[in-house]
Amino acid sequence: MKFFLDTANTDEIRQAASMGIIDGVTTNPSLVAKENRKFREILIEICDVIDGPVSAEVVSTEFNGMMKEARELAALHPNINVKVPLIREGLKAVKALTSEGIKTNVTLCFSPSQALMAAKAGATFISPFIGRVDDISGVGIEIIRDIRTIYDNYGFETEILAASLRHPLHVMDAALIGADIATIPFKVFDQLINHPLTDIGLKRFLADWEKVKDQVS
Ligand code: E4P
């Protein structure tokens, strides 16, 4: 499973990247809005830190505007893929961008049928949003399960990028189902490592070692 970091904060990206297990980054307009910096400057900095796919989202909602923005974003760095919303104009843009060799991440996916349409359009990544479905009393993870089945049935190469993951269990469920990628907020990335028994166990090992270190080393 690939791990992407779901943030536009370059300090968080540097910190997580120092562990060597971050494969890419996703951003969205809301995440960029928190940073109070130029979007393009953030993207270039992310691409300098992470040697993997970086998603940058268009904000136009009609075909021509999306195409213009997408070409500009993709021209910034070879690792940039263009995030396009799952609307009719968006799918048209995905088809056209794919034929131009520009990679796409189809975002705001909330159903298996939408994911099927994105794969038909040639999306590189599909981003089903799990947490936002849970927020309205749905079972978000079931969408990932159905998409996995559909894509496997037909051999679609579109990668399933589990998004809107809010806690470690979301990541585990997505991994058990076989999502190709989890995009994870920094806080959740960190939570995945924690276990109280690890901390207790390490403390005990070190204390025991301290008692005998002069005799055994
Ligand atoms: C993914 O690409 C989205 O940017 C993100 O995961 C949305 O998460 P949220 O629902 O917590 O805002």
Side-chain angles (χ1 to χ4, degrees), residues 137-167:
S137 305
V139 184
I141 202 70
E142 291 306 323
I143 300 167
I144 306 250
R145 199 185 311 281
D146 288 348
I147 297 172
R148 181 75 283 159
T149 301
I150 292 166
Y151 283 10
D152 289 349
N153 282 348
Y154 296 100
F156 284 118
E157 288 178 8
T158 301
E159 290 189 73
I160 302 173
L161 200 172
S164 188
L165 304 178
R166 305 272 177 76
H167 48 70

PDB file of all heavy atoms in Angstrom, residues 137-167:
ATOM      1  N   SER A 137     -23.701   9.505   8.404  1.00  0.00           N
ATOM      2  CA  SER A 137     -24.232   8.207   8.839  1.00  0.00           C
ATOM      3  C   SER A 137     -24.233   7.134   7.762  1.00  0.00           C
ATOM      4  O   SER A 137     -25.006   6.176   7.839  1.00  0.00           O
ATOM      5  CB  SER A 137     -25.665   8.348   9.394  1.00  0.00           C
ATOM      6  OG  SER A 137     -25.686   9.307  10.407  1.00  0.00           O
ATOM      7  N   GLY A 138     -23.386   7.284   6.749  1.00  0.00           N
ATOM      8  CA  GLY A 138     -23.184   6.202   5.788  1.00  0.00           C
ATOM      9  C   GLY A 138     -22.000   5.354   6.248  1.00  0.00           C
ATOM     10  O   GLY A 138     -21.387   5.630   7.274  1.00  0.00           O
ATOM     11  N   VAL A 139     -21.695   4.307   5.449  1.00  0.00           N
ATOM     12  CA  VAL A 139     -20.538   3.473   5.770  1.00  0.00           C
ATOM     13  C   VAL A 139     -19.544   3.654   4.628  1.00  0.00           C
ATOM     14  O   VAL A 139     -19.577   2.940   3.628  1.00  0.00           O
ATOM     15  CB  VAL A 139     -20.946   1.991   5.958  1.00  0.00           C
ATOM     16  CG1 VAL A 139     -19.734   1.164   6.399  1.00  0.00           C
ATOM     17  CG2 VAL A 139     -22.060   1.874   6.984  1.00  0.00           C
ATOM     18  N   GLY A 140     -18.684   4.649   4.801  1.00  0.00           N
ATOM     19  CA  GLY A 140     -17.787   5.052   3.719  1.00  0.00           C
ATOM     20  C   GLY A 140     -16.918   3.924   3.186  1.00  0.00           C
ATOM     21  O   GLY A 140     -16.708   3.804   1.976  1.00  0.00           O
ATOM     22  N   ILE A 141     -16.442   3.083   4.081  1.00  0.00           N
ATOM     23  CA  ILE A 141     -15.483   2.054   3.671  1.00  0.00           C
ATOM     24  C   ILE A 141     -16.099   1.066   2.667  1.00  0.00           C
ATOM     25  O   ILE A 141     -15.408   0.478   1.841  1.00  0.00           O
ATOM     26  CB  ILE A 141     -14.907   1.330   4.921  1.00  0.00           C
ATOM     27  CG1 ILE A 141     -13.570   0.683   4.587  1.00  0.00           C
ATOM     28  CG2 ILE A 141     -15.878   0.372   5.534  1.00  0.00           C
ATOM     29  CD1 ILE A 141     -12.439   1.639   4.351  1.00  0.00           C
ATOM     30  N   GLU A 142     -17.423   0.906   2.725  1.00  0.00           N
ATOM     31  CA  GLU A 142     -18.088  -0.015   1.786  1.00  0.00           C
ATOM     32  C   GLU A 142     -17.925   0.447   0.340  1.00  0.00           C
ATOM     33  O   GLU A 142     -17.942  -0.362  -0.596  1.00  0.00           O
ATOM     34  CB  GLU A 142     -19.582  -0.166   2.126  1.00  0.00           C
ATOM     35  CG  GLU A 142     -19.844  -0.898   3.432  1.00  0.00           C
ATOM     36  CD  GLU A 142     -19.161  -2.266   3.496  1.00  0.00           C
ATOM     37  OE1 GLU A 142     -19.083  -2.961   2.471  1.00  0.00           O
ATOM     38  OE2 GLU A 142     -18.670  -2.621   4.591  1.00  0.00           O
ATOM     39  N   ILE A 143     -17.772   1.743   0.146  1.00  0.00           N
ATOM     40  CA  ILE A 143     -17.576   2.274  -1.216  1.00  0.00           C
ATOM     41  C   ILE A 143     -16.245   1.762  -1.773  1.00  0.00           C
ATOM     42  O   ILE A 143     -16.152   1.344  -2.928  1.00  0.00           O
ATOM     43  CB  ILE A 143     -17.611   3.819  -1.206  1.00  0.00           C
ATOM     44  CG1 ILE A 143     -18.958   4.295  -0.681  1.00  0.00           C
ATOM     45  CG2 ILE A 143     -17.347   4.390  -2.590  1.00  0.00           C
ATOM     46  CD1 ILE A 143     -18.970   5.776  -0.335  1.00  0.00           C
ATOM     47  N   ILE A 144     -15.243   1.754  -0.905  1.00  0.00           N
ATOM     48  CA  ILE A 144     -13.924   1.262  -1.343  1.00  0.00           C
ATOM     49  C   ILE A 144     -14.023  -0.214  -1.712  1.00  0.00           C
ATOM     50  O   ILE A 144     -13.468  -0.664  -2.712  1.00  0.00           O
ATOM     51  CB  ILE A 144     -12.879   1.435  -0.217  1.00  0.00           C
ATOM     52  CG1 ILE A 144     -12.831   2.870   0.274  1.00  0.00           C
ATOM     53  CG2 ILE A 144     -11.510   0.908  -0.661  1.00  0.00           C
ATOM     54  CD1 ILE A 144     -11.635   3.660  -0.049  1.00  0.00           C
ATOM     55  N   ARG A 145     -14.743  -0.975  -0.874  1.00  0.00           N
ATOM     56  CA  ARG A 145     -14.872  -2.417  -1.138  1.00  0.00           C
ATOM     57  C   ARG A 145     -15.512  -2.659  -2.505  1.00  0.00           C
ATOM     58  O   ARG A 145     -15.044  -3.465  -3.314  1.00  0.00           O
ATOM     59  CB  ARG A 145     -15.732  -3.073  -0.031  1.00  0.00           C
ATOM     60  CG  ARG A 145     -15.572  -4.582   0.060  1.00  0.00           C
ATOM     61  CD  ARG A 145     -16.529  -5.206   1.079  1.00  0.00           C
ATOM     62  NE  ARG A 145     -16.530  -4.548   2.378  1.00  0.00           N
ATOM     63  CZ  ARG A 145     -15.598  -4.740   3.323  1.00  0.00           C
ATOM     64  NH1 ARG A 145     -14.616  -5.587   3.102  1.00  0.00           N
ATOM     65  NH2 ARG A 145     -15.667  -4.097   4.470  1.00  0.00           N
ATOM     66  N   ASP A 146     -16.576  -1.921  -2.795  1.00  0.00           N
ATOM     67  CA  ASP A 146     -17.272  -2.113  -4.076  1.00  0.00           C
ATOM     68  C   ASP A 146     -16.399  -1.664  -5.255  1.00  0.00           C
ATOM     69  O   ASP A 146     -16.389  -2.298  -6.312  1.00  0.00           O
ATOM     70  CB  ASP A 146     -18.592  -1.324  -4.083  1.00  0.00           C
ATOM     71  CG  ASP A 146     -19.634  -1.964  -3.166  1.00  0.00           C
ATOM     72  OD1 ASP A 146     -19.409  -3.108  -2.722  1.00  0.00           O
ATOM     73  OD2 ASP A 146     -20.667  -1.318  -2.889  1.00  0.00           O
ATOM     74  N   ILE A 147     -15.691  -0.570  -5.066  1.00  0.00           N
ATOM     75  CA  ILE A 147     -14.827  -0.097  -6.171  1.00  0.00           C
ATOM     76  C   ILE A 147     -13.737  -1.136  -6.453  1.00  0.00           C
ATOM     77  O   ILE A 147     -13.432  -1.442  -7.608  1.00  0.00           O
ATOM     78  CB  ILE A 147     -14.186   1.274  -5.841  1.00  0.00           C
ATOM     79  CG1 ILE A 147     -15.255   2.351  -5.665  1.00  0.00           C
ATOM     80  CG2 ILE A 147     -13.227   1.695  -6.942  1.00  0.00           C
ATOM     81  CD1 ILE A 147     -14.707   3.696  -5.131  1.00  0.00           C
ATOM     82  N   ARG A 148     -13.156  -1.698  -5.382  1.00  0.00           N
ATOM     83  CA  ARG A 148     -12.112  -2.726  -5.564  1.00  0.00           C
ATOM     84  C   ARG A 148     -12.651  -3.884  -6.410  1.00  0.00           C
ATOM     85  O   ARG A 148     -12.001  -4.358  -7.341  1.00  0.00           O
ATOM     86  CB  ARG A 148     -11.633  -3.207  -4.186  1.00  0.00           C
ATOM     87  CG  ARG A 148     -10.540  -4.253  -4.129  1.00  0.00           C
ATOM     88  CD  ARG A 148      -9.154  -3.699  -4.456  1.00  0.00           C
ATOM     89  NE  ARG A 148      -8.937  -3.477  -5.872  1.00  0.00           N
ATOM     90  CZ  ARG A 148      -8.002  -2.659  -6.372  1.00  0.00           C
ATOM     91  NH1 ARG A 148      -7.195  -1.991  -5.607  1.00  0.00           N
ATOM     92  NH2 ARG A 148      -7.881  -2.526  -7.668  1.00  0.00           N
ATOM     93  N   THR A 149     -13.880  -4.324  -6.063  1.00  0.00           N
ATOM     94  CA  THR A 149     -14.477  -5.452  -6.792  1.00  0.00           C
ATOM     95  C   THR A 149     -14.687  -5.089  -8.262  1.00  0.00           C
ATOM     96  O   THR A 149     -14.329  -5.855  -9.170  1.00  0.00           O
ATOM     97  CB  THR A 149     -15.842  -5.830  -6.150  1.00  0.00           C
ATOM     98  OG1 THR A 149     -15.609  -6.161  -4.791  1.00  0.00           O
ATOM     99  CG2 THR A 149     -16.484  -7.008  -6.859  1.00  0.00           C
ATOM    100  N   ILE A 150     -15.253  -3.917  -8.497  1.00  0.00           N
ATOM    101  CA  ILE A 150     -15.547  -3.502  -9.878  1.00  0.00           C
ATOM    102  C   ILE A 150     -14.254  -3.372 -10.692  1.00  0.00           C
ATOM    103  O   ILE A 150     -14.162  -3.880 -11.823  1.00  0.00           O
ATOM    104  CB  ILE A 150     -16.324  -2.164  -9.878  1.00  0.00           C
ATOM    105  CG1 ILE A 150     -17.724  -2.370  -9.304  1.00  0.00           C
ATOM    106  CG2 ILE A 150     -16.408  -1.578 -11.287  1.00  0.00           C
ATOM    107  CD1 ILE A 150     -18.451  -1.069  -8.954  1.00  0.00           C
ATOM    108  N   TYR A 151     -13.266  -2.716 -10.130  1.00  0.00           N
ATOM    109  CA  TYR A 151     -12.008  -2.523 -10.878  1.00  0.00           C
ATOM    110  C   TYR A 151     -11.325  -3.869 -11.154  1.00  0.00           C
ATOM    111  O   TYR A 151     -10.774  -4.078 -12.241  1.00  0.00           O
ATOM    112  CB  TYR A 151     -11.059  -1.589 -10.118  1.00  0.00           C
ATOM    113  CG  TYR A 151     -11.414  -0.105 -10.201  1.00  0.00           C
ATOM    114  CD1 TYR A 151     -12.623   0.336 -10.738  1.00  0.00           C
ATOM    115  CD2 TYR A 151     -10.527   0.864  -9.743  1.00  0.00           C
ATOM    116  CE1 TYR A 151     -12.936   1.692 -10.797  1.00  0.00           C
ATOM    117  CE2 TYR A 151     -10.827   2.225  -9.815  1.00  0.00           C
ATOM    118  CZ  TYR A 151     -12.038   2.635 -10.341  1.00  0.00           C
ATOM    119  OH  TYR A 151     -12.334   3.972 -10.410  1.00  0.00           O
ATOM    120  N   ASP A 152     -11.388  -4.774 -10.166  1.00  0.00           N
ATOM    121  CA  ASP A 152     -10.762  -6.088 -10.372  1.00  0.00           C
ATOM    122  C   ASP A 152     -11.543  -6.914 -11.407  1.00  0.00           C
ATOM    123  O   ASP A 152     -10.953  -7.643 -12.194  1.00  0.00           O
ATOM    124  CB  ASP A 152     -10.660  -6.857  -9.046  1.00  0.00           C
ATOM    125  CG  ASP A 152      -9.602  -6.245  -8.120  1.00  0.00           C
ATOM    126  OD1 ASP A 152      -8.828  -5.377  -8.582  1.00  0.00           O
ATOM    127  OD2 ASP A 152      -9.564  -6.634  -6.942  1.00  0.00           O
ATOM    128  N   ASN A 153     -12.865  -6.782 -11.403  1.00  0.00           N
ATOM    129  CA  ASN A 153     -13.682  -7.523 -12.377  1.00  0.00           C
ATOM    130  C   ASN A 153     -13.258  -7.231 -13.805  1.00  0.00           C
ATOM    131  O   ASN A 153     -13.313  -8.093 -14.677  1.00  0.00           O
ATOM    132  CB  ASN A 153     -15.163  -7.126 -12.259  1.00  0.00           C
ATOM    133  CG  ASN A 153     -15.849  -7.786 -11.079  1.00  0.00           C
ATOM    134  OD1 ASN A 153     -15.296  -8.705 -10.488  1.00  0.00           O
ATOM    135  ND2 ASN A 153     -17.051  -7.306 -10.734  1.00  0.00           N
ATOM    136  N   TYR A 154     -12.873  -5.972 -14.046  1.00  0.00           N
ATOM    137  CA  TYR A 154     -12.617  -5.562 -15.429  1.00  0.00           C
ATOM    138  C   TYR A 154     -11.164  -5.174 -15.697  1.00  0.00           C
ATOM    139  O   TYR A 154     -10.836  -4.755 -16.807  1.00  0.00           O
ATOM    140  CB  TYR A 154     -13.553  -4.388 -15.797  1.00  0.00           C
ATOM    141  CG  TYR A 154     -14.999  -4.830 -15.758  1.00  0.00           C
ATOM    142  CD1 TYR A 154     -15.804  -4.538 -14.659  1.00  0.00           C
ATOM    143  CD2 TYR A 154     -15.529  -5.595 -16.786  1.00  0.00           C
ATOM    144  CE1 TYR A 154     -17.110  -4.971 -14.602  1.00  0.00           C
ATOM    145  CE2 TYR A 154     -16.838  -6.045 -16.736  1.00  0.00           C
ATOM    146  CZ  TYR A 154     -17.621  -5.728 -15.628  1.00  0.00           C
ATOM    147  OH  TYR A 154     -18.907  -6.188 -15.579  1.00  0.00           O
ATOM    148  N   GLY A 155     -10.327  -5.307 -14.692  1.00  0.00           N
ATOM    149  CA  GLY A 155      -8.916  -4.979 -14.887  1.00  0.00           C
ATOM    150  C   GLY A 155      -8.649  -3.501 -15.126  1.00  0.00           C
ATOM    151  O   GLY A 155      -7.676  -3.155 -15.806  1.00  0.00           O
ATOM    152  N   PHE A 156      -9.472  -2.632 -14.563  1.00  0.00           N
ATOM    153  CA  PHE A 156      -9.181  -1.190 -14.680  1.00  0.00           C
ATOM    154  C   PHE A 156      -7.872  -0.883 -13.970  1.00  0.00           C
ATOM    155  O   PHE A 156      -7.618  -1.393 -12.870  1.00  0.00           O
ATOM    156  CB  PHE A 156     -10.300  -0.350 -14.043  1.00  0.00           C
ATOM    157  CG  PHE A 156     -11.541  -0.268 -14.871  1.00  0.00           C
ATOM    158  CD1 PHE A 156     -12.748  -0.764 -14.397  1.00  0.00           C
ATOM    159  CD2 PHE A 156     -11.519   0.333 -16.143  1.00  0.00           C
ATOM    160  CE1 PHE A 156     -13.908  -0.685 -15.154  1.00  0.00           C
ATOM    161  CE2 PHE A 156     -12.679   0.418 -16.900  1.00  0.00           C
ATOM    162  CZ  PHE A 156     -13.870  -0.095 -16.413  1.00  0.00           C
ATOM    163  N   GLU A 157      -7.060  -0.028 -14.575  1.00  0.00           N
ATOM    164  CA  GLU A 157      -5.763   0.290 -13.959  1.00  0.00           C
ATOM    165  C   GLU A 157      -5.811   1.522 -13.062  1.00  0.00           C
ATOM    166  O   GLU A 157      -4.827   1.863 -12.409  1.00  0.00           O
ATOM    167  CB  GLU A 157      -4.707   0.466 -15.050  1.00  0.00           C
ATOM    168  CG  GLU A 157      -4.351  -0.875 -15.673  1.00  0.00           C
ATOM    169  CD  GLU A 157      -3.347  -0.773 -16.792  1.00  0.00           C
ATOM    170  OE1 GLU A 157      -2.798   0.313 -17.015  1.00  0.00           O
ATOM    171  OE2 GLU A 157      -3.149  -1.804 -17.444  1.00  0.00           O
ATOM    172  N   THR A 158      -6.935   2.201 -13.038  1.00  0.00           N
ATOM    173  CA  THR A 158      -7.109   3.355 -12.150  1.00  0.00           C
ATOM    174  C   THR A 158      -6.806   2.924 -10.709  1.00  0.00           C
ATOM    175  O   THR A 158      -7.341   1.908 -10.239  1.00  0.00           O
ATOM    176  CB  THR A 158      -8.561   3.879 -12.239  1.00  0.00           C
ATOM    177  OG1 THR A 158      -8.810   4.242 -13.597  1.00  0.00           O
ATOM    178  CG2 THR A 158      -8.795   5.063 -11.319  1.00  0.00           C
ATOM    179  N   GLU A 159      -5.941   3.675 -10.031  1.00  0.00           N
ATOM    180  CA  GLU A 159      -5.578   3.293  -8.661  1.00  0.00           C
ATOM    181  C   GLU A 159      -6.566   3.871  -7.655  1.00  0.00           C
ATOM    182  O   GLU A 159      -6.963   5.047  -7.771  1.00  0.00           O
ATOM    183  CB  GLU A 159      -4.164   3.780  -8.334  1.00  0.00           C
ATOM    184  CG  GLU A 159      -3.100   3.019  -9.109  1.00  0.00           C
ATOM    185  CD  GLU A 159      -1.705   3.351  -8.613  1.00  0.00           C
ATOM    186  OE1 GLU A 159      -1.334   2.901  -7.511  1.00  0.00           O
ATOM    187  OE2 GLU A 159      -0.993   4.073  -9.328  1.00  0.00           O
ATOM    188  N   ILE A 160      -6.945   3.048  -6.694  1.00  0.00           N
ATOM    189  CA  ILE A 160      -7.897   3.491  -5.660  1.00  0.00           C
ATOM    190  C   ILE A 160      -7.120   4.200  -4.557  1.00  0.00           C
ATOM    191  O   ILE A 160      -6.279   3.599  -3.881  1.00  0.00           O
ATOM    192  CB  ILE A 160      -8.687   2.304  -5.075  1.00  0.00           C
ATOM    193  CG1 ILE A 160      -9.435   1.567  -6.193  1.00  0.00           C
ATOM    194  CG2 ILE A 160      -9.649   2.779  -3.982  1.00  0.00           C
ATOM    195  CD1 ILE A 160     -10.121   0.279  -5.741  1.00  0.00           C
ATOM    196  N   LEU A 161      -7.425   5.481  -4.408  1.00  0.00           N
ATOM    197  CA  LEU A 161      -6.725   6.347  -3.443  1.00  0.00           C
ATOM    198  C   LEU A 161      -7.735   6.677  -2.334  1.00  0.00           C
ATOM    199  O   LEU A 161      -8.562   7.584  -2.474  1.00  0.00           O
ATOM    200  CB  LEU A 161      -6.282   7.614  -4.207  1.00  0.00           C
ATOM    201  CG  LEU A 161      -5.174   8.498  -3.650  1.00  0.00           C
ATOM    202  CD1 LEU A 161      -4.802   9.557  -4.686  1.00  0.00           C
ATOM    203  CD2 LEU A 161      -5.512   9.132  -2.348  1.00  0.00           C
ATOM    204  N   ALA A 162      -7.689   5.890  -1.277  1.00  0.00           N
ATOM    205  CA  ALA A 162      -8.654   6.089  -0.181  1.00  0.00           C
ATOM    206  C   ALA A 162      -8.405   7.462   0.452  1.00  0.00           C
ATOM    207  O   ALA A 162      -7.296   7.748   0.900  1.00  0.00           O
ATOM    208  CB  ALA A 162      -8.496   4.986   0.858  1.00  0.00           C
ATOM    209  N   ALA A 163      -9.447   8.295   0.485  1.00  0.00           N
ATOM    210  CA  ALA A 163      -9.290   9.682   0.947  1.00  0.00           C
ATOM    211  C   ALA A 163     -10.293   9.989   2.049  1.00  0.00           C
ATOM    212  O   ALA A 163     -11.161   9.175   2.362  1.00  0.00           O
ATOM    213  CB  ALA A 163      -9.482  10.640  -0.232  1.00  0.00           C
ATOM    214  N   SER A 164     -10.116  11.182   2.626  1.00  0.00           N
ATOM    215  CA  SER A 164     -10.945  11.584   3.757  1.00  0.00           C
ATOM    216  C   SER A 164     -10.851  10.533   4.871  1.00  0.00           C
ATOM    217  O   SER A 164     -11.850  10.107   5.424  1.00  0.00           O
ATOM    218  CB  SER A 164     -12.402  11.793   3.295  1.00  0.00           C
ATOM    219  OG  SER A 164     -13.201  12.342   4.304  1.00  0.00           O
ATOM    220  N   LEU A 165      -9.615  10.133   5.153  1.00  0.00           N
ATOM    221  CA  LEU A 165      -9.357   9.159   6.220  1.00  0.00           C
ATOM    222  C   LEU A 165      -9.114   9.942   7.500  1.00  0.00           C
ATOM    223  O   LEU A 165      -8.246  10.806   7.534  1.00  0.00           O
ATOM    224  CB  LEU A 165      -8.142   8.294   5.869  1.00  0.00           C
ATOM    225  CG  LEU A 165      -8.218   7.545   4.528  1.00  0.00           C
ATOM    226  CD1 LEU A 165      -6.935   6.772   4.263  1.00  0.00           C
ATOM    227  CD2 LEU A 165      -9.423   6.602   4.492  1.00  0.00           C
ATOM    228  N   ARG A 166      -9.870   9.652   8.526  1.00  0.00           N
ATOM    229  CA  ARG A 166      -9.849  10.498   9.724  1.00  0.00           C
ATOM    230  C   ARG A 166      -9.162   9.857  10.920  1.00  0.00           C
ATOM    231  O   ARG A 166      -8.901  10.518  11.901  1.00  0.00           O
ATOM    232  CB  ARG A 166     -11.280  10.856  10.110  1.00  0.00           C
ATOM    233  CG  ARG A 166     -12.086  11.508   8.987  1.00  0.00           C
ATOM    234  CD  ARG A 166     -11.904  13.005   8.961  1.00  0.00           C
ATOM    235  NE  ARG A 166     -12.616  13.610   7.841  1.00  0.00           N
ATOM    236  CZ  ARG A 166     -13.940  13.799   7.788  1.00  0.00           C
ATOM    237  NH1 ARG A 166     -14.698  13.418   8.794  1.00  0.00           N
ATOM    238  NH2 ARG A 166     -14.481  14.370   6.733  1.00  0.00           N
ATOM    239  N   HIS A 167      -8.959   8.530  10.882  1.00  0.00           N
ATOM    240  CA  HIS A 167      -8.343   7.853  12.029  1.00  0.00           C
ATOM    241  C   HIS A 167      -7.670   6.558  11.551  1.00  0.00           C
ATOM    242  O   HIS A 167      -7.918   6.106  10.419  1.00  0.00           O
ATOM    243  CB  HIS A 167      -9.380   7.582  13.127  1.00  0.00           C
ATOM    244  CG  HIS A 167     -10.640   6.959  12.629  1.00  0.00           C
ATOM    245  ND1 HIS A 167     -10.693   5.668  12.168  1.00  0.00           N
ATOM    246  CD2 HIS A 167     -11.894   7.462  12.481  1.00  0.00           C
ATOM    247  CE1 HIS A 167     -11.930   5.388  11.794  1.00  0.00           C
ATOM    248  NE2 HIS A 167     -12.678   6.466  11.952  1.00  0.00           N
TER     249      HIS A 167
END
